[in-house]
């Protein structure tokens, strides 16, 4: 358990540091070299029209989809009697959304010019879809993996979660509504939220276990 907490703390610190570095580069240059490369190589071809598959993936990364999946996932996890994790999912998603909104307002980065195939409003940095998507699909994958004992089932869950997270981020660059640095920073912000939630859950479990041990010892 101590080793897992150290890993979670390391992920939280590295994510925060990486996020800070990207944010400083954006505040300094606005459009970085990576952003220019992404727009040139990853954005959709305006003459051919958008991909149907990526349009579907983008819908799974919408605010409405995140809300529905979070509520349905929390109910499912609660039904599995993993109540702390069900509450943690709801709280962490809400915290990720609030953190993203606060940073967007502070940085105030305008979105790149795009074809308008999908609706996108507000500021660009960091990507809310990447941040919340990382938390929703990342936490659900972690919870489900702990509920499945077969190795192939665990890898299937991890692969599906990773594909969804990467697909949502890629679709936002593809449709031109975000820069690469928006997505990268969103992923790191999401990882920070997940690792922080993990640390809080583990600390509560440790305290609860210690209390039960002391009570049994006294009795």
């Amino acid at each position: 358990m101590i080793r897992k907490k150290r890993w979670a703390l390391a992920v939280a610190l590295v994510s925060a540091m990486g996020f800070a570095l990207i944010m400083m580069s954006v505040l300094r240059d606005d459009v970085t070299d990576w952003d220019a490369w992404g727009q040139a190589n990853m954005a959709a071809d305006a003459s051919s029209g958008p991909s149907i598959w990526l349009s579907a993936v983008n819908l799974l990364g919408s605010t409405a989809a995140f809300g529905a999946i979070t509520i349905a996932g929390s109910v499912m996890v609660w039904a599995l009697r993993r109540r702390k994790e069900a509450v943690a999912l709801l709280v962490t998603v809400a915290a990720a959304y609030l953190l993203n909104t606060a940073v967007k307002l502070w940085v105030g980065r305008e979105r790149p010019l795009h074809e308008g195939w999908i609706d996108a409003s507000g500021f660009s940095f960091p990507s809310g879809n990447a941040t919340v998507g990382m938390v929703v699909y990342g936490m659900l994958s972690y919870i489900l993996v702990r509920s499945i004992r077969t190795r192939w089932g665990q890898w299937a869950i991890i692969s599906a979660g990773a594909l969804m997270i990467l697909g949502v981020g890629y679709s936002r660059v593809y449709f031109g509504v975000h820069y690469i640095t928006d997505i990268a920073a969103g992923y790191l912000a999401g990882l920070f939220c997940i690792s922080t939630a993990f640390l809080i859950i583990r600390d509560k479990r440790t305290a609860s276990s210690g209390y039960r041990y002391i009570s049994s010892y006294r009795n």
Side-chain angles (χ1 to χ4, degrees):
M1 183 178 294
I2 293 176
R3 182 177 296 178
K4 290 181 178 180
K5 287 178 63 177
R6 287 177 178 173
W7 270 106
L9 180 59
V11 171
L13 291 175
V14 171
S15 299
M17 291 173 61
F19 182 90
L21 288 173
I22 294 176
M23 185 172 68
M24 286 189 293
S25 69
V26 169
L27 289 173
R28 183 183 65 246
D29 301 326
D30 191 25
V31 179
T32 68
D33 292 339
W34 283 107
D35 296 324
W37 180 89
Q39 288 183 299
N41 296 279
M42 296 173 65
D45 183 1
S47 62
S48 61
S51 165
I52 296 176
W53 292 105
L54 285 176
S55 297
V57 170
N58 183 71
L59 287 176
L60 292 174
S62 64
T63 301
F66 285 150
I69 293 170
T70 300
I71 294 172
S74 299
V75 172
M76 179 185 66
V77 175
W78 187 279
L80 293 173
R81 296 184 179 181
R82 308 271 289 278
R83 296 178 179 178
K84 289 183 179 180
E85 290 169 340
V87 174
L89 176 60
L90 287 170
V91 173
T92 308
V93 169
Y97 179 80
L98 292 174
L99 174 64
N100 181 267
T101 301
V103 177
K104 277 181 182 290
L105 292 174
W106 185 51
V107 175
R109 187 189 206 184
E110 297 294 334
R111 291 183 184 271
L113 297 175
H114 56 281
E115 294 296 326
W117 286 316
I118 61 175
D119 293 330
S121 59
F123 293 118
S124 182
F125 182 91
S127 168
N129 303 73
T131 303
V132 180
M134 172 66 76
V135 173
V136 172
Y137 294 118
M139 288 195 69
L140 279 176
S141 297
Y142 170 76
I143 294 169
L144 291 175
V145 162
R146 296 188 64 222
S147 302
I148 298 175
R149 295 185 179 182
T150 60
R151 183 70 65 179
W152 68 266
Q154 292 175 342
W155 278 110
I157 294 293
I158 292 172
S159 299
L163 285 173
M164 283 305 307
I165 291 169
L166 293 174
V168 168
Y170 176 74
S171 71
R172 304 301 285 179
V173 178
Y174 173 85
F175 285 112
V177 295
H178 276 297
Y179 296 106
I180 283 184
T181 47
D182 297 334
I183 304 301
Y187 285 156
L188 290 172
L191 275 177
F192 175 80
C193 293
I194 291 174
S195 54
T196 302
F198 181 88
L199 286 170
I200 294 173
I201 292 173
R202 286 291 173 179
D203 284 340
K204 287 184 177 180
R205 286 181 177 176
T206 303
S208 178
S209 300
Y211 176 78
R212 287 196 299 269
Y213 174 79
I214 293 172
S215 298
S216 61
Y217 178 78
R218 288 178 178 176
N219 294 331

Short mmCIF file of all heavy atoms in Angstrom, two decimals, residues 1-9 142 146 198-210 212:
data_model
loop_
_atom_site.label_atom_id
_atom_site.label_comp_id
_atom_site.label_asym_id
_atom_site.label_seq_id
_atom_site.Cartn_x
_atom_site.Cartn_y
_atom_site.Cartn_z
N MET A 1 0.83 -1.21 0.00
CA MET A 1 0.00 0.00 0.00
C MET A 1 0.86 1.26 0.00
O MET A 1 0.55 2.24 -0.67
CB MET A 1 -0.92 -0.01 1.21
CG MET A 1 -1.89 1.17 1.27
SD MET A 1 -2.99 1.08 2.68
CE MET A 1 -3.95 -0.37 2.27
N ILE A 2 1.96 1.22 0.77
CA ILE A 2 2.85 2.38 0.84
C ILE A 2 3.48 2.63 -0.53
O ILE A 2 3.62 3.77 -0.96
CB ILE A 2 3.94 2.15 1.91
CG1 ILE A 2 3.31 2.12 3.31
CG2 ILE A 2 4.99 3.25 1.84
CD1 ILE A 2 4.28 1.82 4.41
N ARG A 3 3.84 1.53 -1.23
CA ARG A 3 4.43 1.68 -2.55
C ARG A 3 3.44 2.32 -3.53
O ARG A 3 3.81 3.18 -4.34
CB ARG A 3 4.87 0.32 -3.07
CG ARG A 3 5.55 0.37 -4.44
CD ARG A 3 6.03 -1.00 -4.85
NE ARG A 3 7.05 -1.48 -3.93
CZ ARG A 3 7.63 -2.68 -4.03
NH1 ARG A 3 7.25 -3.51 -5.01
NH2 ARG A 3 8.56 -3.05 -3.18
N LYS A 4 2.17 1.92 -3.45
CA LYS A 4 1.15 2.49 -4.34
C LYS A 4 0.95 3.97 -4.05
O LYS A 4 0.76 4.77 -4.97
CB LYS A 4 -0.16 1.74 -4.18
CG LYS A 4 -0.14 0.32 -4.75
CD LYS A 4 -1.48 -0.35 -4.58
CE LYS A 4 -1.47 -1.75 -5.19
NZ LYS A 4 -2.78 -2.43 -5.03
N LYS A 5 0.99 4.34 -2.77
CA LYS A 5 0.83 5.75 -2.41
C LYS A 5 2.01 6.57 -2.93
O LYS A 5 1.83 7.71 -3.38
CB LYS A 5 0.70 5.89 -0.90
CG LYS A 5 -0.63 5.41 -0.34
CD LYS A 5 -0.70 5.54 1.16
CE LYS A 5 -0.58 6.97 1.61
NZ LYS A 5 -0.71 7.11 3.08
N ARG A 6 3.20 5.99 -2.89
CA ARG A 6 4.37 6.70 -3.40
C ARG A 6 4.27 6.91 -4.90
O ARG A 6 4.61 7.97 -5.42
CB ARG A 6 5.64 5.92 -3.05
CG ARG A 6 6.02 5.99 -1.56
CD ARG A 6 7.23 5.13 -1.28
NE ARG A 6 7.62 5.22 0.12
CZ ARG A 6 8.58 4.48 0.67
NH1 ARG A 6 9.23 3.58 -0.08
NH2 ARG A 6 8.89 4.62 1.95
N TRP A 7 3.78 5.88 -5.60
CA TRP A 7 3.58 6.00 -7.04
C TRP A 7 2.56 7.09 -7.35
O TRP A 7 2.74 7.91 -8.26
CB TRP A 7 3.13 4.67 -7.64
CG TRP A 7 4.26 3.80 -8.08
CD1 TRP A 7 4.73 2.68 -7.47
CD2 TRP A 7 5.09 4.00 -9.23
NE1 TRP A 7 5.79 2.16 -8.16
CE2 TRP A 7 6.04 2.94 -9.25
CE3 TRP A 7 5.12 4.95 -10.25
CZ2 TRP A 7 7.00 2.82 -10.24
CZ3 TRP A 7 6.10 4.84 -11.24
CH2 TRP A 7 7.01 3.78 -11.24
N ALA A 8 1.46 7.10 -6.60
CA ALA A 8 0.42 8.10 -6.82
C ALA A 8 0.95 9.50 -6.55
O ALA A 8 0.66 10.45 -7.29
CB ALA A 8 -0.78 7.81 -5.93
N LEU A 9 1.75 9.65 -5.49
CA LEU A 9 2.33 10.94 -5.17
C LEU A 9 3.30 11.38 -6.27
O LEU A 9 3.31 12.56 -6.67
CB LEU A 9 3.06 10.88 -3.83
CG LEU A 9 3.73 12.16 -3.34
CD1 LEU A 9 2.71 13.28 -3.19
CD2 LEU A 9 4.46 11.93 -2.02
N TYR A 142 -9.74 2.00 -13.98
CA TYR A 142 -9.06 1.54 -12.76
C TYR A 142 -10.02 0.76 -11.86
O TYR A 142 -9.69 -0.32 -11.36
CB TYR A 142 -8.49 2.74 -12.01
CG TYR A 142 -7.99 2.41 -10.62
CD1 TYR A 142 -6.78 1.76 -10.45
CD2 TYR A 142 -8.73 2.75 -9.49
CE1 TYR A 142 -6.32 1.45 -9.18
CE2 TYR A 142 -8.28 2.44 -8.22
CZ TYR A 142 -7.07 1.79 -8.08
OH TYR A 142 -6.62 1.48 -6.82
N ARG A 146 -9.97 -3.52 -11.13
CA ARG A 146 -9.90 -4.10 -9.79
C ARG A 146 -11.06 -5.05 -9.52
O ARG A 146 -11.05 -5.80 -8.55
CB ARG A 146 -9.88 -2.99 -8.74
CG ARG A 146 -8.64 -2.10 -8.82
CD ARG A 146 -8.57 -1.15 -7.65
NE ARG A 146 -8.44 -1.87 -6.41
CZ ARG A 146 -9.09 -1.54 -5.29
NH1 ARG A 146 -9.96 -0.54 -5.31
NH2 ARG A 146 -8.90 -2.21 -4.18
N PHE A 198 -6.74 9.17 -5.62
CA PHE A 198 -6.22 7.89 -5.15
C PHE A 198 -5.55 8.05 -3.79
O PHE A 198 -5.75 7.23 -2.88
CB PHE A 198 -5.21 7.34 -6.16
CG PHE A 198 -4.62 6.02 -5.78
CD1 PHE A 198 -5.26 4.84 -6.13
CD2 PHE A 198 -3.42 5.94 -5.08
CE1 PHE A 198 -4.72 3.61 -5.79
CE2 PHE A 198 -2.88 4.72 -4.74
CZ PHE A 198 -3.52 3.55 -5.09
N LEU A 199 -4.77 9.12 -3.63
CA LEU A 199 -4.10 9.35 -2.35
C LEU A 199 -5.10 9.59 -1.23
O LEU A 199 -4.94 9.08 -0.12
CB LEU A 199 -3.16 10.56 -2.47
CG LEU A 199 -1.87 10.34 -3.25
CD1 LEU A 199 -1.18 11.67 -3.49
CD2 LEU A 199 -0.95 9.39 -2.50
N ILE A 200 -6.15 10.34 -1.51
CA ILE A 200 -7.17 10.62 -0.49
C ILE A 200 -7.90 9.34 -0.09
O ILE A 200 -8.11 9.07 1.10
CB ILE A 200 -8.17 11.68 -1.00
CG1 ILE A 200 -7.46 13.02 -1.18
CG2 ILE A 200 -9.35 11.81 -0.04
CD1 ILE A 200 -8.31 14.07 -1.84
N ILE A 201 -8.27 8.51 -1.08
CA ILE A 201 -8.97 7.26 -0.79
C ILE A 201 -8.08 6.35 0.03
O ILE A 201 -8.52 5.74 1.01
CB ILE A 201 -9.40 6.57 -2.09
CG1 ILE A 201 -10.48 7.38 -2.80
CG2 ILE A 201 -9.92 5.16 -1.80
CD1 ILE A 201 -10.84 6.85 -4.17
N ARG A 202 -6.82 6.23 -0.35
CA ARG A 202 -5.89 5.36 0.35
C ARG A 202 -5.66 5.84 1.78
O ARG A 202 -5.58 5.04 2.71
CB ARG A 202 -4.55 5.30 -0.39
CG ARG A 202 -4.61 4.48 -1.66
CD ARG A 202 -4.79 3.02 -1.34
NE ARG A 202 -5.01 2.24 -2.55
CZ ARG A 202 -5.18 0.92 -2.55
NH1 ARG A 202 -5.16 0.26 -1.41
NH2 ARG A 202 -5.39 0.26 -3.67
N ASP A 203 -5.54 7.15 1.98
CA ASP A 203 -5.35 7.69 3.32
C ASP A 203 -6.54 7.38 4.21
O ASP A 203 -6.39 7.02 5.37
CB ASP A 203 -5.12 9.21 3.27
CG ASP A 203 -3.73 9.56 2.79
OD1 ASP A 203 -2.85 8.68 2.86
OD2 ASP A 203 -3.53 10.69 2.33
N LYS A 204 -7.76 7.49 3.66
CA LYS A 204 -8.95 7.20 4.45
C LYS A 204 -9.02 5.72 4.80
O LYS A 204 -9.41 5.34 5.91
CB LYS A 204 -10.20 7.63 3.68
CG LYS A 204 -10.39 9.14 3.63
CD LYS A 204 -11.69 9.48 2.95
CE LYS A 204 -11.91 11.00 2.97
NZ LYS A 204 -13.18 11.38 2.32
N ARG A 205 -8.63 4.86 3.84
CA ARG A 205 -8.64 3.43 4.12
C ARG A 205 -7.63 3.07 5.19
O ARG A 205 -7.88 2.26 6.07
CB ARG A 205 -8.32 2.65 2.83
CG ARG A 205 -9.47 2.62 1.84
CD ARG A 205 -9.08 1.82 0.63
NE ARG A 205 -10.18 1.71 -0.30
CZ ARG A 205 -10.10 1.13 -1.48
NH1 ARG A 205 -8.96 0.61 -1.89
NH2 ARG A 205 -11.16 1.05 -2.28
N THR A 206 -6.45 3.71 5.12
CA THR A 206 -5.42 3.45 6.11
C THR A 206 -5.87 3.88 7.49
O THR A 206 -5.70 3.16 8.48
CB THR A 206 -4.11 4.19 5.75
OG1 THR A 206 -3.70 3.78 4.45
CG2 THR A 206 -3.03 3.88 6.75
N ALA A 207 -6.49 5.06 7.58
CA ALA A 207 -6.97 5.56 8.86
C ALA A 207 -8.07 4.66 9.41
O ALA A 207 -8.11 4.34 10.60
CB ALA A 207 -7.48 6.99 8.72
N SER A 208 -8.98 4.22 8.53
CA SER A 208 -10.06 3.34 8.95
C SER A 208 -9.54 2.00 9.44
O SER A 208 -9.97 1.47 10.45
CB SER A 208 -11.04 3.14 7.80
OG SER A 208 -12.08 2.26 8.17
N SER A 209 -8.54 1.46 8.72
CA SER A 209 -7.97 0.18 9.12
C SER A 209 -7.25 0.29 10.45
O SER A 209 -7.35 -0.58 11.31
CB SER A 209 -6.99 -0.31 8.04
OG SER A 209 -7.64 -0.49 6.81
N GLY A 210 -6.55 1.42 10.64
CA GLY A 210 -5.85 1.62 11.91
C GLY A 210 -6.83 1.75 13.06
O GLY A 210 -6.59 1.21 14.15
N ARG A 212 -9.85 0.40 13.23
CA ARG A 212 -10.41 -0.93 13.53
C ARG A 212 -9.40 -1.79 14.29
O ARG A 212 -9.76 -2.55 15.18
CB ARG A 212 -10.81 -1.61 12.22
CG ARG A 212 -12.06 -1.03 11.58
CD ARG A 212 -12.63 -1.97 10.54
NE ARG A 212 -11.68 -2.22 9.46
CZ ARG A 212 -11.63 -1.49 8.35
NH1 ARG A 212 -12.45 -0.48 8.17
NH2 ARG A 212 -10.76 -1.79 7.42
#
